[in-house]
Amino acid sequence: MAATDPSLSAPQIPVNGKTPAEPLSEAPFADRGREAAVSTVRTRTQPPGHDYVRGGMRFAGELTAWVCTPWALWPHSIPLAIGAVLLLIGLPAVFSTPGDRPGADAPVAVPGIVTILLVVLHLVAAAASAWALWGTWIAATVTVLCLVVPFTELPRWRALMSATHDQAERPARR
């Protein structure tokens, strides 16, 4: 049966200086992957403000708010601490501006100003709770982070505001 198979009797064309054991169309994924990767061009661009540095700084501020705010409120009121966690994590999970998240949009679409205010809420909560919990050096570091994040967020916030204005200026289609 091997003698009648034309792919075995035909001469093999070298690929990257090596002769493949099987035809190129049936080559393993690893061999085809290298060849395809050379000609693949990434055409998708990320929305403004969604790079690793800006997103990482924003996430550090949000994470600080998620941890520190309930920690600071716990001695005063346990239900308030639990409510703070639910609000700080739940509001951005439910409400977002369409097209802002690289993965998917939240269930409830809101204007860009609401997304901006949610980020500001996180930063204020992080800074205030850091001063209530920790010493001067750590609280000052968190405060500096919370003051720097709005400047790193400006391109994203501009895009959020322009998306809101663009959507408001477009007439509704029927």
Side-chain angles (χ1 to χ4, degrees):
M1 182 175 192
T4 60
D5 188 4
S7 66
L8 294 177
S9 61
Q12 298 288 326
I13 300 171
V15 177
N16 290 337
K18 297 180 181 178
T19 304
E22 42 191 29
L24 190 57
S25 62
E26 297 176 7
F29 289 118
D31 292 336
R32 285 188 291 177
R34 275 185 268 140
E35 298 299 319
V38 173
S39 63
T40 304
V41 176
R42 186 175 179 183
T43 58
R44 184 174 174 248
T45 59
Q46 291 182 334
H50 288 283
D51 59 85
Y52 292 123
V53 174
R54 291 178 178 143
M57 292 180 71
R58 180 176 63 243
F59 179 70
E62 290 174 348
L63 184 63
T64 304
W66 297 340
V67 172
C68 293
T69 304
W71 187 2
L73 292 173
W74 191 268
H76 305 289
S77 171
I78 294 172
L80 189 60
I82 294 170
V85 170
L86 293 176
L87 284 176
L88 289 172
I89 295 175
L91 287 177
V94 174
F95 302 102
S96 76
T97 304
D100 180 47
R101 291 185 180 179
D105 291 328
V108 179
V110 294
I113 189 69
V114 175
T115 302
I116 294 168
L117 291 175
L118 287 173
V119 172
V120 170
L121 172 71
H122 279 85
L123 297 175
V124 168
S129 59
W131 282 102
L133 285 176
W134 296 322
T136 305
W137 288 106
I138 298 174
T141 304
V142 170
T143 303
V144 168
L145 171 71
C146 292
L147 291 173
V148 169
V149 167
F151 292 104
T152 63
E153 287 286 293
L154 282 177
R156 178 176 174 240
W157 289 358
R158 284 188 193 112
L160 285 170
M161 293 306 289
S162 68
T164 303
H165 292 298
D166 290 345
Q167 290 173 359
E169 292 173 1
R170 285 186 217 153
R173 293 185 183 184
R174 292 182 182 192

